C-alpha cells in the first residue's frame, strides 16, 4: 500500500516526535520567562512580556518559521560576511518554541493569578519565606490549574510541527510529500500521515488524561 515508503514515514514520525519534544522543552522555558516578565512590577519588563505574547499570538506560525529561518540566515550572513545555511531542524525547534512560549506564558500567568491571595498570606503567617511559599503553596496549585490548557497546547504543538516542512525539515509531512511525488499517490500518502498524526495526538491525549486523574487524586476527587 505504501510502496516501500513506510520506513521513510517512520523516520519522519521519529523526527516529528523529536521536533515536538525539543520545542516543548525550549518553549516551556520561553513561557516561564514570558510569565516572569508579565508579573514584574517594573513597567518596561512587564510591557516586554505582554508585547512578546501579543506579537507572537497575533502572527501566523508559518511567518514565525520564515522569520527564524530566513532572518537567522540573514543575520549570520551580516555577522560572518558570507552566506550561512541555517539547520532546518534547529530553526524549526526555535520557531515552534517561540510560538509555544507565547501561549505557555499566558497559561502560566493565568494559573498563578488564579491562586487566591489568602494562600500566600497564610503561608507567610506560618513563617514561610516568599520563595518557600511560592514553591510549596503557590506553584503546586497553579500547576493543577495550568495542566489542562498546557496539555492541550502541547497537543496542538504536535500538529504544528507539520509547518516546518516548508523550510526543508525532514519530518513526517516532508516525508509524506516526498513519497507522494515519487508514487503519484498523494491521497494514500497524506492519509497515512494523517493516521500517524492522529495516533500521536491520541497518545498525548491519553497521557494528559492520566496526568489529570493523578492530579485529581490529590484533591480527593
Amino acid at each position: 500500500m505504501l510502496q516501500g515508503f513506510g520506513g521513510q514515514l517512520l523516520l519522519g514520525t521519529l523526527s516529528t516526535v523529536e521536533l515536538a519534544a525539543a520545542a516543548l522543552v525550549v518553549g516551556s522555558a520561553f513561557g516561564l520567562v514570558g510569565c516572569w516578565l508579565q508579573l514584574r512590577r517594573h513597567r518596561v519588563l512587564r510591557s516586554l512580556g505582554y508585547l512578546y505574547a501579543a506579537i507572537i499570538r497575533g502572527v501566523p506560525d508559518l511567518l514565525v518559521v520564515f522569520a527564524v529561518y530566513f532572518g537567522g540566515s540573514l543575520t549570520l550572513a551580516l555577522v560572518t560576511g558570507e552566506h550561512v545555511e541555517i539547520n532546518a531542524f534547529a530553526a524549526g525547534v526555535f520557531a515552534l518554541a517561540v510560538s509555544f512560549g507565547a501561549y505557555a506564558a499566558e497559561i502560566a500567568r493565568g494559573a498563578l493569578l488564579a491562586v487566591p491571595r489568602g494562600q500566600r498570606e497564610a503561608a507567610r503567617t506560618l513563617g514561610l519565606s516568599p520563595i518557600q511559599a511560592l514553591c510549596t503553596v503557590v506553584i503546586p496549585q497553579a500547576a493543577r490549574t495550568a495542566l489542562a490548557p498546557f496539555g492541550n497546547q502541547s497537543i496542538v504543538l504536535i500538529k504544528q510541527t507539520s509547518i516546518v516542512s516548508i523550510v526543508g525539515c525532514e519530518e513526517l509531512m516532508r516525508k509524506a510529500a516526498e513519497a507522494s511525488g515519487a508514487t503519484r499517490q498523494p491521497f494514500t500518502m497524506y492519509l497515512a500521515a494523517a493516521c500517524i498524526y492522529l495516533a500521536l495526538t491520541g497518545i498525548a491525549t491519553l497521557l494528559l488524561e492520566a496526568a489529570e486523574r493523578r492530579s485529581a487524586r490529590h484533591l480527593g476527587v
Side-chain angles (χ1 to χ4, degrees), residues 39-55:
L39 294 177
R40 293 304 89 195
R41 294 182 178 179
H42 195 286
R43 184 175 180 180
V44 174
L45 294 179
R46 189 170 65 250
S47 297
L48 286 175
Y50 280 109
L51 188 63
Y52 162 59
I55 291 176

Side-chain angles (χ1 to χ4, degrees), residues 35-82:
C35 175
W36 180 82
L37 289 173
Q38 291 180 11
L39 294 177
R40 293 304 89 195
R41 294 182 178 179
H42 195 286
R43 184 175 180 180
V44 174
L45 294 179
R46 189 170 65 250
S47 297
L48 286 175
Y50 280 109
L51 188 63
Y52 162 59
I55 291 176
I56 299 302
R57 293 171 67 195
V59 174
D61 293 329
L62 182 59
L63 292 182
V64 176
V65 173
F66 283 153
V68 170
Y69 186 74
F70 296 112
S73 296
L74 179 61
T75 301
L76 290 177
L78 292 175
V79 172
T80 62
E82 57 185 31

Side-chain angles (χ1 to χ4, degrees), residues 111 115-116 119 137-146:
V115 178
Q119 296 287 332
V137 177
V138 178
I139 289 181
Q141 295 184 65
R144 285 193 291 268
T145 302

Side-chain angles (χ1 to χ4, degrees), residues 89-149:
F89 184 88
V93 168
F94 188 79
L96 292 173
V98 168
S99 179
F100 182 86
Y103 292 93
E106 293 295 310
I107 292 171
R109 181 180 65 86
L112 287 172
L113 293 179
V115 178
R117 181 177 296 274
Q119 296 287 332
R120 297 178 175 85
E121 295 174 351
R124 296 300 301 276
T125 301
L126 293 174
L128 298 179
S129 68
I131 296 299
Q132 289 175 323
L134 179 66
C135 294
T136 62
V137 177
V138 178
I139 289 181
Q141 295 184 65
R144 285 193 291 268
T145 302
L147 179 59

Side-chain angles (χ1 to χ4, degrees), residues 2 18-19 30 41 45 76 90 116 124 136 149 173 196-197:
L2 296 179
E18 293 174 351
L19 187 64
F30 286 166
R41 294 182 178 179
L45 294 179
L76 290 177
R124 296 300 301 276
T136 62
M173 187 58 70
I196 294 173
Y197 279 116

